[in-house]
Amino acid sequence: MKLAYWMYAGPAHIGTLRIASSFKNVHAIMHAPLGDDYFNVMRSMLERERDFTPVTASVVDRKVLARGSQEKVIDNITRKDQEENPDLIVLTPTCTSSILQEDLQNFVDRAQLESKGDVLLADVNHYRVNELQAGDRTLSQIVEFYINKARKKGELPQGKTEKPSVNIIGISTLGFHNNHDCTELKRLMADLGIEVNAVIPDKASVHDLKNLSRAWFNLVPYRELGPMTAEYLAKEFEMPYVDITPMGVVETARCIRKIQEVLNAQGANVDYEDYIENQTLHVSQAAWFSRSIDCQNLTGKKAVVFGDSTHAAAMTKILAREMGIHVVLAGTYCKYDKDWFREQVGEYCDEILVSEDHGEIGDAIARIEPAAIFGTQMERHVGKRLDIPCGVIAAPIHIQDFPVGYKPFLGYEGTNQMADLVYNSFTLGMEDHLLEIFGGHDTKEVITKGISAGSDLNWTKEAQTELNKVPGFVRGKVKRNTEKFAREREFSEISLEVMYAAKEAVGA
Amino acid sequence: MTVAETPSALNFECETGNYHTFCPISCVAWLYQKIEDSFFLVIGTKTCGYFLQNAMGVMIFAEPRYAMAELEEGDISAKLNDYEELKRLCQQIKRDRNPSVIVWIGTCTTEIIKMDLEGLAPRLEAEIGIPIVTARANGLDYAFTQGEDTVLAAMAHKCPKEAPKEEAEKTERNAISKLMNFGRKKEDITAGDAEYVDHPPLVLFGSLPDPVVTNLTLELKKQGVKVSGWLPSKRFTELPVIEEGYYVSGVNPFLSRTATTLMRRRKTKLIGAPFPIGPDGTRAWIEKICSVFGIEPQGLEEREAKIWENLEDYIKLIRGKSVFFMGDNLLEVSLARFLIRCGMTCPEIGIPYMDKRYQKAELDLLEKTCSDMGVPLPTIVEKPDNYNQLQRIKDIQPDLVITGMAHANPLEARGINTKWSVEFTFAQIHGFTNARDILELATRPLRRNNNLKDLGWDKLVKEEAKV
Ligand code: SF4
Ligand code: SF4
């Protein structure tokens, strides 16, 4: 048993359901207790989805517990098959119902006999993997299924599309800024003269999966969803894939150069250097931002980065390479991907943290006292408590990650968005000047070790009034500095005198 | 559906379908806030934890007073010792938070692996010195708000069996105030008691926000009825005394197990009344309690009439319109009854679970309301099938659908006004004065869409909606 307060990644069935419900005309049946169908709520509420989420729970209740589901799951599958004519029904347990160890494959086989559409059991170990791993696996399972099916029927198309083309793999419902990223990637491909052969799984039809092999290459923008499918396609059809996340000016260029290499190896003759240069210097504002006087003030500021491997690694590189910010700690909760992550960020930060324990990262932030955090909603909360601004760069998703306006993280428009995010996350210009006046520059010692230690110091009324006069955006910093000063000198109360003494001491 | 002819008695159906509602462990979201010195430990899987975190928006703020005991493979395969594992976690909770009570929330998983929480608790509470309440709020047996029912039923066992022997101790402590009241008799000192009629002690059960507790307590006080305590209380240490023969009454329609526990195990007498939701329900509730204590209620009729008068601006928006309950939080019957009294019609009340005995007075009032208002009786559909309901909604085209969160946006996209049922779970809806809040919620979609109606944006899906 483990005491847990917060999860960065959801349980496996969430990953499976994200894939199934991303496809067009695919229905998922969950073998699960009544209360497990909140995926529908998340999709409807967070994505503001207009359509009914194609997920139905085949309810596990007391009766099922006593006697097994018997015909119930099969009935539910065949019923959905008739009601909505889906192309495919995916059956998944949840980690709870998987303990029952019912023979779901057998249910699927029997339901298949009576269904017009296809029926599949999600091949995932629900107790061992998380949402991200399960999603990756389910996507590749569905792709494999339809490619094998087409092969059996002799329907696999031969050859490639006439013009260079791409499959974009890994765009899904409830993905972090996925929708906008997808639009941006499509624009980028259009700029590069590359046709989009398919986007999967988002709004794709399973019947089109057999045509995946017609693309010249696969683009896998996220580490968390798509690599297994790309690997499979590489093995099966010798399709090359590009898995460089085009996030930030430098990485976007690297991604495009890799695409160029892949295309030219197949006989195309493309040269994207002019495009890259034009975008970098004149279209994207991000490179100019790095050079601008605003960004100069960011030099050497301390930041902590935490998120899924894709976004945390990309953000670390942007901050360190493109903005001269000092990334003290870069971390990820994708434990299964730690080797890749270490290799990616190793040279751009002082420390690496791979952990699923939000307390650990919270304590690290309290210890480091960065000027800004780039993390998940959890770190945003930590930041609120410590008065440190936080830009949200990664899932777990939140309603705020589904802005109505256009906010991609990838491609050249993504670079602009990143520049804004960074700019807004640090205190700059005039505020920076004020910080200096109040002795708010980066401080080396630790105030308290953990984030949960509340203030044990009393402020006298006068001191409190004085503190309230300090402008809001630096008040937290002044308060912390004063308290640290008081703690070091073992004052139990902060009077006006202590406050001024602190200001002088820190300023000195 | 045939709602045209007026059936003479309520029509109950049980679809045992696939419907959407929240898991009962969600009660943690409001109970940990209500009981200020508590700690809730949900013993389950990642699925349970992720639900609390996401669907309920229960997140950890500064000092969380709830946590997951996440079961790992070793727990499931029984390689680990449940007692030792729980002890380790509870000791940590004691060290970090020192609550007055730890509430164990069992889940589907503890049911499936047959973890004997009730058996383990007494030993562990003796060992660590903190009371432990065990509730099986799992999704195999219960829906949404019934989670509160399981917790309160379990907590009922922890209510003191008899009032502490006042005299000796109290006089000691009150020495000073006694000095100051020198010469006066005891009766005068316990101020206010004079306003009450002499009646057997009454304990109310159901978790309500504090202002509502005060409000209902005062409404009864106006009639001379004294509320001896509430289950739950603000603090676990202040749980009400429940002696054999006390009267009890519930304020929420989903508390049938708590009612049964109080009657059978604590030998109390249940006052079965309609629930104090809406001015009609509140009046009926007070009247019923008064009648049990032989009190003639004063000024209730005028009070109710006054409230109705004040509601008129809202009521005129919904009079003659229809409302459809898909079923979610078990408040459906009470809300439908109130909205019908407001002049609405209601073709269908979906509800996850219907205890006809515990809800009898409410159901009777519903029937009476329908006949008073001259509208057809609703069909009550237990464990509805959402897919079938959507077909019925498509046919009937109700003016308002009260539904769980999963269906609200898709229905809105098809031009159907909706209101989330959960909002009624969390809003303050009990008592006379809060009736306005119910209507504020219920009329909001109508008011909003009135504002937008000239834009012609009511169907926001392309293909002919599959509603
Ligand atoms: S239905 Fe069961 S498994 Fe699902 S969240 Fe509720 S208690 Fe946990
Ligand atoms: S501010 Fe947002 S992230 Fe924080 S608790 Fe509220 S809803 Fe959740």
Side-chain angles (χ1 to χ4, degrees):
Chain A
M1 258 178 236
K2 168 170 114 188
L3 209 53
Y5 291 98
W6 168 266
M7 265 179 269
Y8 284 104
H13 73 274
I14 297 282
T16 296
L17 296 180
R18 274 178 57 195
I19 301 305
S21 60
S22 289
F23 278 109
K24 216 164 44 193
N25 207 28
V26 169
H27 203 98
I29 302 271
M30 266 197 299
H31 177 53
L34 184 64
D36 282 1
D37 74 344
Y38 54 87
F39 175 81
N40 300 36
V41 173
M42 290 172 61
R43 187 151 179 276
S44 157
M45 299 308 305
L46 297 178
E47 295 239 38
R48 296 187 196 88
E49 181 54 55
R50 298 174 200 211
D51 281 317
F52 294 98
T53 301
V55 174
T56 308
S58 172
V59 176
V60 174
D61 56 14
R62 207 30 90 175
K63 243 193 245 147
V64 171
L65 199 56
R67 309 203 319 248
S69 5
Q70 299 186 339
E71 303 304 309
K72 194 168 182 177
V73 175
I74 299 169
D75 286 349
N76 275 314
I77 295 175
T78 50
R79 178 181 159 192
K80 261 310 140 196
D81 182 64
Q82 284 161 16
E83 279 171 359
E84 317 221 356
N85 292 313
D87 298 325
L88 166 69
I89 291 181
V90 178
L91 175 67
T92 176
T94 59
C95 49
T96 307
S97 67
S98 68
I99 308 170
L100 295 172
Q101 300 191 318
E102 290 205 67
D103 188 356
L104 297 183
Q105 186 58 54
N106 177 304
F107 295 164
V108 162
D109 294 342
R110 285 168 54 203
Q112 182 66 81
L113 298 176
E114 293 168 47
S115 304
K116 281 197 261 61
D118 298 312
V119 188
L120 262 186
L121 173 64
D123 174 25
V124 165
N125 180 333
H126 284 77
Y127 237 78
R128 299 233 166 112
V129 303
N130 69 17
E131 167 192 356
L132 306 173
Q133 296 159 295
D136 200 20
R137 171 69 194 123
T138 304
L139 180 59
S140 81
Q141 188 193 355
I142 293 176
V143 168
E144 279 180 56
F145 178 84
Y146 280 98
I147 282 176
N148 287 334
K149 188 175 170 185
R151 178 175 291 134
K152 257 187 228 140
K153 290 208 212 151
E155 286 176 353
L156 272 189
Q158 296 299 314
K160 300 285 170 190
T161 57
E162 201 179 314
K163 288 213 207 119
S165 61
V166 62
N167 299 320
I168 301 174
I169 301 181
I171 305 294
S172 95
T173 187
L174 293 175
F176 185 78
H177 289 252
N178 270 201
N179 257 330
H180 299 161
D181 282 353
C182 182
T183 309
E184 188 61 22
L185 289 176
K186 283 185 188 160
R187 284 185 190 168
L188 179 63
M189 292 305 125
D191 284 356
L192 300 177
I194 299 171
E195 281 171 3
V196 176
N197 183 57
V199 174
I200 60 168
D202 193 42
K203 301 184 189 73
S205 159
V206 287
H207 295 312
D208 296 337
L209 291 176
K210 60 174 182 290
N211 297 323
L212 286 177
S213 60
R214 289 181 51 76
W216 290 38
F217 72 104
N218 292 313
L219 178 62
V220 188
Y222 311 116
R223 295 280 305 161
E224 291 73 25
L225 178 57
M228 281 181 88
T229 306
E231 277 295 337
Y232 164 78
L233 293 170
K235 220 175 59 213
E236 202 71 14
F237 303 105
E238 288 171 21
M239 285 181 82
Y241 62 86
V242 175
D243 61 355
I244 299 167
T245 305
M247 187 170 148
V249 180
V250 177
E251 290 294 284
T252 302
R254 199 161 74 90
C255 175
I256 296 173
R257 289 197 180 101
K258 180 75 191 177
I259 292 174
Q260 172 177 315
E261 184 191 316
V262 161
L263 294 181
N264 288 346
Q266 296 178 64
N269 186 14
V270 293
D271 181 355
Y272 296 138
E273 285 308 324
D274 290 349
Y275 175 77
I276 294 173
E277 182 173 297
N278 187 44
Q279 287 288 329
T280 305
L281 298 183
H282 308 298
V283 180
S284 157
Q285 297 297 313
W288 160 236
F289 171 75
S290 302
R291 190 71 184 82
S292 74
I293 195 76
D294 275 326
C295 195
Q296 203 180 79
N297 287 340
L298 296 180
T299 309
K301 289 237 185 220
K302 292 200 295 191
V304 166
V305 180
F306 193 80
D308 58 5
S309 13
T310 302
H311 292 92
M315 197 65 196
T316 303
K317 293 178 192 168
I318 293 175
L319 293 172
R321 279 197 304 212
E322 298 178 21
M323 301 188 178
I325 288 159
H326 176 188
V327 179
V328 182
L329 179 144
T332 181
Y333 52 81
C334 296
K335 277 168 108 170
Y336 60 92
D337 201 24
K338 59 175 184 293
D339 297 334
W340 181 87
F341 186 77
R342 283 179 190 284
E343 181 208 314
Q344 293 293 310
V345 302
E347 54 182 308
Y348 303 112
C349 61
D350 306 350
E351 292 173 41
I352 295 174
L353 176 67
V354 178
S355 171
E356 289 173 346
D357 177 0
H358 72 92
E360 210 177 323
I361 171 77
D363 286 347
I365 292 171
R367 166 173 56 83
I368 294 165
E369 269 206 275
I373 309 165
F374 297 90
T376 70
Q377 290 292 338
M378 186 69 227
E379 286 69 50
R380 193 170 70 84
H381 276 279
V382 172
K384 262 193 210 159
R385 283 165 57 196
L386 296 172
D387 249 318
I388 300 171
C390 176
V392 175
I393 57 154
I397 42 157
H398 185 269
I399 186 80
Q400 289 169 348
D401 303 326
F402 298 90
V404 176
Y406 187 51
K407 287 210 162 54
F409 270 50
L410 303 186
Y412 286 108
E413 178 53 29
T415 63
N416 292 337
Q417 297 291 336
M418 288 305 102
D420 277 343
L421 185 75
V422 171
Y423 180 82
N424 293 331
S425 298
F426 282 98
T427 41
L428 288 175
M430 187 56 194
E431 303 172 16
D432 203 50
H433 182 61
L434 277 162
L435 271 173
E436 209 140 338
I437 299 173
F438 285 98
H441 261 295
D442 291 339
T443 35
K444 289 189 193 69
E445 302 91 323
V446 188
I447 303 181
T448 53
K449 268 186 256 105
I451 50 162
S452 56
S455 169
D456 48 344
L457 290 163
N458 287 324
W459 287 66
T460 64
K461 224 171 117 212
E462 296 76 30
Q464 186 65 49
T465 322
E466 190 62 21
L467 181 67
N468 290 342
K469 286 189 206 146
V470 176
F473 50 87
V474 285
R475 196 177 299 142
K477 192 100 186 172
V478 173
K479 180 160 185 260
R480 275 181 290 146
N481 278 336
T482 312
E483 291 189 348
K484 190 172 80 179
F485 173 87
R487 242 179 234 115
E488 278 164 9
R489 284 164 186 72
E490 297 181 357
F491 293 128
S492 62
E493 190 180 69
I494 296 172
S495 60
L496 263 187
E497 288 72 25
V498 176
M499 202 181 164
Y500 289 133
K503 191 165 139 190
E504 277 164 31
V506 182
Chain B
M1 241 190 35
T2 46
V3 281
E5 77 257 37
T6 313
S8 54
L10 279 169
N11 177 17
F12 291 94
E13 279 173 23
C14 187
E15 275 187 323
T16 350
N18 298 316
Y19 69 105
H20 161 84
T21 182
F22 278 134
C23 171
I25 62 172
S26 52
C27 66
V28 167
W30 62 88
L31 288 176
Y32 93 90
Q33 289 181 41
K34 172 74 197 177
I35 309 168
E36 291 168 1
D37 52 354
S38 62
F39 191 100
F40 282 77
L41 185 65
V42 181
I43 305 162
T45 56
K46 269 193 189 325
T47 304
C48 311
Y50 199 64
F51 162 70
L52 282 175
Q53 177 175 320
N54 274 284
M56 295 310 294
V58 185
M59 290 185 188
I60 46 160
F61 291 104
E63 301 292 320
R65 279 189 293 104
Y66 94 92
M68 283 293 308
E70 199 182 306
L71 297 166
E72 297 170 294
E73 273 189 293
D75 299 303
I76 306 294
S77 57
K79 282 208 195 76
L80 296 165
N81 178 305
D82 297 338
Y83 184 81
E84 290 305 322
E85 290 295 297
L86 282 166
K87 182 171 138 191
R88 187 168 54 79
L89 264 44
C90 290
Q91 277 172 334
Q92 190 180 335
I93 292 164
K94 182 180 178 182
R95 210 175 39 241
D96 296 350
R97 311 274 170 224
N98 196 28
S100 308
V101 60
I102 298 178
V103 183
W104 286 352
I105 302 286
T107 61
C108 300
T109 310
T110 53
E111 292 295 315
I112 294 172
I113 64 174
K114 302 205 166 59
M115 189 182 276
D116 179 22
L117 297 176
E118 281 92 348
L120 298 172
R123 227 177 100 202
L124 191 55
E125 74 182 352
E127 195 172 338
I128 64 170
I130 294 182
I132 294 172
V133 170
T134 32
R136 300 173 165 203
N138 66 79
L140 295 168
D141 301 307
Y142 307 107
F144 199 9
T145 47
Q146 287 180 289
E148 173 178 323
D149 194 21
T150 64
V151 173
L152 297 190
M155 213 167 256
H157 292 289
K158 299 277 180 183
C159 292
K161 289 210 171 54
E162 50 189 35
K165 293 280 166 282
E166 290 186 38
E167 303 347 316
E169 207 190 337
K170 268 239 172 99
T171 33
E172 278 275 326
R173 261 204 244 134
N174 289 341
I176 297 188
S177 54
K178 211 172 93 189
L179 272 181
M180 303 186 49
N181 288 314
F182 185 70
R184 278 207 245 160
K185 282 204 201 112
K186 189 180 176 249
E187 290 87 277
D188 310 321
I189 302 169
T190 35
D193 266 11
E195 299 162 43
Y196 293 116
V197 176
D198 190 25
H199 64 80
L202 169 70
V203 171
L204 299 179
F205 58 95
S207 169
L208 295 178
D210 297 334
V212 185
V213 166
T214 314
N215 184 282
L216 290 180
T217 308
L218 285 177
E219 291 294 353
L220 286 174
K221 186 179 172 188
K222 275 190 200 150
Q223 306 300 337
V225 176
K226 180 176 181 177
V227 179
S228 311
W230 284 78
L231 172 68
S233 45
K234 253 173 90 141
R235 306 181 61 81
F236 180 77
T237 47
E238 292 161 7
L239 277 182
V241 174
I242 298 181
E243 286 183 30
E244 202 176 316
Y246 275 24
Y247 280 86
V248 295
S249 184
V251 293
N252 274 324
F254 42 78
L255 299 174
S256 55
R257 284 172 61 91
T258 310
T260 315
T261 308
L262 288 169
M263 285 190 293
R264 300 230 180 103
R265 310 292 298 272
R266 304 302 302 259
K267 307 271 186 295
T268 59
K269 295 181 196 138
L270 178 74
I271 303 178
F275 300 99
I277 292 171
D280 48 342
T282 308
R283 176 180 166 192
W285 181 73
I286 297 175
E287 276 175 349
K288 182 67 197 276
I289 292 173
C290 287
S291 80
V292 169
F293 295 140
I295 298 171
E296 182 69 39
Q298 301 299 317
L300 265 190
E301 207 178 324
E302 298 76 33
R303 185 85 208 274
E304 191 197 345
K306 188 96 200 126
I307 299 284
W308 283 116
E309 222 171 83
N310 286 333
L311 296 177
E312 182 53 31
D313 52 338
Y314 279 126
I315 290 177
K316 63 174 190 259
L317 296 170
I318 51 173
R319 192 172 284 134
K321 297 216 154 79
S322 58
V323 56
F324 187 109
F325 287 85
M326 286 188 77
D328 189 17
N329 57 12
L330 280 84
L331 293 170
E332 288 83 6
V333 176
S334 306
L335 289 172
R337 178 259 303 150
F338 167 56
L339 291 175
I340 291 171
R341 177 63 71 180
C342 290
M344 295 188 91
T345 55
C346 179
E348 171 164 340
I349 303 177
I351 189 168
Y353 172 75
M354 183 77 237
D355 186 321
K356 288 183 206 156
R357 286 226 324 262
Y358 176 65
Q359 291 228 43
K360 178 161 192 319
E362 186 62 273
L363 290 167
D364 290 347
L365 184 58
L366 173 68
E367 273 192 64
K368 180 172 177 296
T369 305
C370 288
S371 90
D372 287 355
M373 302 301 290
V375 298
L377 286 165
T379 304
I380 297 182
V381 184
E382 199 178 340
K383 297 197 197 339
D385 187 283
N386 285 164
Y387 183 85
N388 295 343
Q389 282 185 315
L390 292 173
Q391 312 308 316
R392 296 197 286 270
I393 288 173
K394 191 184 171 190
D395 292 343
I396 307 171
Q397 291 286 319
D399 297 301
L400 177 65
V401 174
I402 298 191
T403 176
M405 290 179 141
H407 291 113
N409 268 335
L411 282 171
E412 287 283 349
R414 284 153 182 81
I416 302 233
N417 296 318
T418 62
K419 193 77 210 138
W420 290 332
S421 42
V422 274
E423 290 193 75
F424 297 97
T425 318
F426 292 109
Q428 306 191 355
I429 60 169
H430 291 73
F432 281 124
T433 38
N434 289 326
R436 245 191 118 71
D437 293 48
I438 307 178
L439 291 182
E440 165 65 30
L441 287 176
T443 60
R444 195 174 295 157
L446 304 168
R447 285 179 287 130
R448 193 269 309 260
N449 293 347
N450 264 343
N451 293 341
L452 303 185
K453 76 170 184 290
D454 296 335
L455 297 168
W457 291 347
D458 39 349
K459 289 258 172 15
L460 292 160
V461 271
K462 275 196 213 118
E463 76 278 30
E464 202 1 62
K466 266 190 192 158
V467 181

